[in-house]
Amino acid sequence: NAGVTQTPKFRVLKTGQSMTLLCAQDMNHEYMYWYRQDPGMGLRLIHYSVGEGTTAKGEVPDGYNVSRLKKQNFLLGLESAAPSQTSVYFCASSRRMNTEAFFGQGTRLTVV
Amino acid sequence: QKEVEQDPGPLSVPEGAIVSLNCTYSNSAFQYFMWYRQYSRKGPELLMYTYSSGNKEDGRFTAQVDKSSKYISLFIRDSQPSDSATYLCAMKVDTGNQFYFGTGTSLTVIP
């Protein structure tokens, strides 16, 4: 059981570079989420999706874009990375609206 | 005011102690309450999940929800060094799409 898998696990970017983080889940979950986790700030929602082809903004969406072309995948893009985007990014998925979320192992991103 | 408040700790207890972790919240519409455990450099994993008020027990863990006080607790009995982790509370409204997380409490259980 893979659950939620994030790729890559670590990345260092230079300011202004772009990258895409990939999240894949094999639980046939409808809902998928991208969070960032920073010291003292907890988990903050960036974007989420309630189904294939849908996306919505969360608490801190600026500087990020997402796509959900396939039900099992949720991509997070940074078009022009900034040092403020240095963080640990977590993807999560849940079966439907009122069920618990399952998390991936995280991607540690450093922007220099 | 943040939706969910959680004391970050750190909390350090001897092995075998009873641990009490707490969160307060401001949104009376929250109906779903969760506790996640996060080991260092790992993703959060679900520990307990409760709906509305009341208690739920699972082995050494007990989750309590007091909606009148907007207060939830997680109790760990006979704490073990393997319980050393950060504990995150999370909440959700009945028809909402988003989870609201506390900042986490860091717990260390000393052998």
Side-chain angles (χ1 to χ4, degrees), chain B residues 4-20:
Chain B
V4 180
E5 299 280 356
Q6 185 175 10
D7 188 338
L11 189 60
S12 184
V13 301
E15 183 175 354
I18 296 174
V19 177
S20 173

Side-chain angles (χ1 to χ4, degrees), chain A residues 10 31 33 35 37 40-43 45 48 50 57-59 90 94 97-105 108, chain B residues 2 32 34 36 38 40-46 49 88 92-99 101-104:
Chain A
F10 304 92
Y31 285 60
Y33 313 82
Y35 290 90
Q37 188 175 40
M41 303 292 289
L43 284 160
L45 183 64
Y48 65 98
V50 301
K57 293 181 180 179
E59 181 184 356
F90 287 101
S94 63
M97 186 182 291
N98 293 324
T99 60
E100 65 273 30
F102 294 85
F103 284 80
Q105 291 300 292
R108 292 185 173 274
Chain B
K2 292 191 70 173
Y32 294 87
M34 290 144 278
Y36 285 83
Q38 186 176 21
S40 181
R41 296 184 171 265
K42 299 290 187 182
E45 56 178 338
L46 184 69
Y49 177 88
L88 301 156
K92 205 163 183 288
V93 301
D94 208 359
T95 55
N97 296 325
Q98 300 184 32
F99 296 87
F101 284 86
T103 53

Side-chain angles (χ1 to χ4, degrees), chain B residues 12-64:
Chain B
S12 184
V13 301
E15 183 175 354
I18 296 174
V19 177
S20 173
L21 303 167
N22 311 295
C23 287
T24 59
Y25 61 93
S26 56
N27 188 347
S28 58
F30 285 142
Q31 291 276 40
Y32 294 87
F33 303 92
M34 290 144 278
W35 285 97
Y36 285 83
R37 178 175 61 196
Q38 186 176 21
Y39 291 115
S40 181
R41 296 184 171 265
K42 299 290 187 182
E45 56 178 338
L46 184 69
L47 206 55
M48 301 284 284
Y49 177 88
T50 56
Y51 174 75
S52 195
S53 286
N55 296 355
K56 186 173 184 178
E57 189 172 320
D58 184 1
R60 297 185 294 110
F61 298 90
T62 300
Q64 286 187 352

